[in-house]
Amino acid sequence: MSTLRSIIPLAAGLAIGATGAILFIQSMPPPEGSAEERVAKLEAELKQSNNRVASLEALDPQGSKRPGRTLKDGLRSIADDFREGRPVTPEDVFRATQPLIRDLAPIFDRMRTKELQRRSDELSGELARKYSLTPDQQESLKKWLDVRAEEEAKRFTALISQKGVKMEDLNAATNDIRIEDGLESFMRNTLSPDKYVGFKAEHMREKVESVQKEADMKVERLDQIVKLDDDQRGQVFGMLARGARDYDPEMRFEGQGTDSTLSGKSKQDAILSVLRPDQRASYEEARAKQRAETEKELGSIGLSLPEDFDSRDFLEF
C-alpha cells in the first residue's frame, strides 16, 4: 500500500500532462470559429505540452534519447494539419499522444495491476467459501490469481507500445481483461474430484449466462432497428453466441438454437445475410444516421471522421 501511495502524486501529475495532450483538441472552438483562432489555441496547447514533456524528460533522463516519433513531433504535425486545412481524426490525436501514453504506461500498469489484484481477492475469497478450500489451497489460488493479474496488466501495457495500434484495439483490450482465464485447469489440479465436478458445472453455468446475456443484448439492439421475426432471432442469436468469447460447444441455451454458423463470412456479413431487403435498407438507414450524428459530434470539436468509419461494425457484432 505504501508503494501505491508513493506513486499516486507522481501519477496524478503525469496524468494531468497526458490529459492536456490527449484532450487539447477539445479546448478548441466549434467549427464556426475561424481556422486562425483554432490554430492559435492549438499552438498554445502545444507549448504547454512541450513544457510538460520537458518536465517528464527531467524525471527520465533517457526519455529524450528514445528513438521514434515524439509527442512534440505528433502535436506539431496536427497543428500543421489544422493550419493547412487538412482533416484531423481522433485516431490522429491518439497517434500523436501515443509516445506520452507509452511513457506513462509503466505507472498505470502498476495501478491496473493493483485493481486486478482486488478482483483476485474477491474471486479467491468467493471460491474459498464455495469449495471450502484449505489455507494452503487458498494461498495457492491467491498467488495464481495475482500472477494472472500481473500478466493481464503487462499484456495491456505491451499493446500500448506496439507500432500501429489503434484506439479500437485498446478499447477491445480494455474490455478483454480477464484474470479468470485458465481457472478451470487450476481448479482441476486443486480440488478433489467431486468438488471439481461441482465447480465445473457452476463455471459452465456462469459462462452460459454471460454468453446468453451478451447475445440477447445484441439481438435486441438489432431487432429495434429491423424488427426480426422469430426465425431470424434464432439464427442471429446462434451466430452471436458462437462468436462470443466464452462460447463452448457444450453450451445449451433455453429457447434458442445455435445451429447457425458464420460459414467463413465475417460476423457482421453473416448476420446481415439473414435479413430481408427491406430490413437491410432499415439497417443501412440507421447506420447512415449514426454516421451523420458522429460526424456532427466530432465536427463540433474540430475533428473529422476516420476514412475507414463505414467499414466498422455499426452494432459492434
Side-chain angles (χ1 to χ4, degrees):
M1 182 62 71
S2 60
T3 302
L4 180 60
R5 287 176 179 171
S6 67
I7 69 170
I8 286 178
L10 176 59
L14 295 178
I16 292 173
T19 301
I22 296 171
L23 301 181
F24 70 94
I25 293 294
Q26 295 183 0
S27 67
M28 296 172 59
E32 56 265 28
S34 66
E36 291 76 9
E37 182 182 7
R38 291 201 302 270
V39 171
K41 289 190 175 183
L42 183 60
E43 289 178 335
E45 292 289 348
L46 176 59
K47 291 180 181 178
Q48 293 178 8
S49 296
N50 288 343
N51 292 335
R52 291 179 181 123
V53 171
S55 298
L56 286 173
E57 290 176 346
L59 292 173
D60 180 8
Q62 297 301 317
S64 60
K65 300 178 182 178
R66 293 174 184 171
R69 186 179 174 88
T70 66
L71 176 65
K72 186 185 299 184
D73 293 335
L75 296 183
R76 190 174 301 280
S77 175
I78 289 180
D80 290 342
D81 287 339
F82 269 99
R83 184 181 294 105
E84 299 299 326
R86 293 188 290 267
V88 176
T89 69
E91 197 69 45
D92 296 328
V93 177
F94 169 71
R95 285 198 298 269
T97 57
Q98 189 179 3
L100 180 57
I101 297 173
R102 180 191 61 221
D103 289 341
L104 293 175
I107 294 175
F108 294 110
D109 176 34
R110 297 180 188 178
M111 300 179 75
R112 190 177 296 108
T113 298
K114 290 292 184 181
E115 180 61 32
L116 290 175
Q117 285 175 340
R118 281 194 285 272
R119 167 59 182 156
S120 81
D121 289 341
E122 295 173 359
L123 186 56
S124 62
E126 176 186 345
L127 294 173
R129 173 180 53 81
K130 282 185 176 180
Y131 302 103
S132 302
L133 300 183
T134 67
D136 287 344
Q137 289 174 329
Q138 292 181 44
E139 182 180 359
S140 179
L141 173 61
K142 184 62 172 63
K143 287 181 179 179
W144 184 86
L145 288 170
D146 284 347
V147 169
R148 286 288 301 123
E150 292 178 6
E151 290 173 348
E152 287 295 277
K154 290 177 179 178
R155 181 174 64 87
F156 188 85
T157 299
L159 179 63
I160 292 176
S161 302
Q162 285 182 12
K163 185 177 180 180
V165 66
K166 297 182 178 181
M167 291 175 63
E168 58 190 87
D169 299 325
L170 294 183
N171 183 58
T174 300
N175 297 327
D176 198 37
I177 294 178
R178 304 275 290 276
I179 66 172
E180 298 92 337
D181 284 356
L183 179 60
E184 191 167 318
S185 296
F186 175 87
M187 296 300 279
R188 182 173 58 245
N189 297 324
T190 301
L191 299 176
S192 62
D194 57 327
K195 286 185 178 181
Y196 175 70
V197 170
F199 165 80
K200 185 176 180 180
E202 175 69 10
H203 195 51
M204 176 64 75
R205 182 189 64 78
E206 291 174 351
K207 290 198 295 184
V208 167
E209 289 180 355
S210 174
V211 170
Q212 183 154 348
K213 182 178 180 180
E214 177 184 339
D216 281 339
M217 177 189 68
K218 293 181 178 180
V219 169
E220 182 61 25
R221 192 182 299 164
L222 181 61
D223 181 61
Q224 291 176 2
I225 298 173
V226 304
K227 304 303 178 186
L228 300 168
D229 60 37
D230 290 343
D231 184 56
Q232 288 175 323
R233 289 182 72 95
Q235 291 183 67
V236 173
F237 178 91
M239 293 176 185
L240 289 169
R242 287 181 179 274
R245 189 180 190 278
D246 286 330
Y247 178 76
D248 188 301
E250 296 181 7
M251 289 182 174
R252 298 293 179 267
F253 302 93
E254 294 183 5
Q256 298 284 2
T258 57
D259 54 347
S260 299
T261 62
L262 302 181
S263 303
K265 303 177 181 178
S266 72
K267 193 186 299 184
Q268 186 176 46
D269 287 343
I271 290 173
L272 295 182
S273 70
V274 308
L275 302 183
R276 301 186 306 271
D278 61 306
Q279 291 173 315
R280 294 197 65 143
S282 296
Y283 176 85
E284 292 301 332
E285 180 181 352
R287 188 175 182 177
K289 181 179 179 181
Q290 177 66 37
R291 175 189 172 88
E293 291 176 352
T294 304
E295 192 169 24
K296 181 179 180 181
E297 182 178 354
L298 289 176
S300 70
I301 56 175
L303 297 180
S304 305
L305 281 176
E307 293 182 0
D308 63 345
F309 180 81
D310 285 337
S311 67
R312 297 178 182 178
D313 291 343
F314 172 47
L315 293 178
E316 298 180 351
F317 289 135

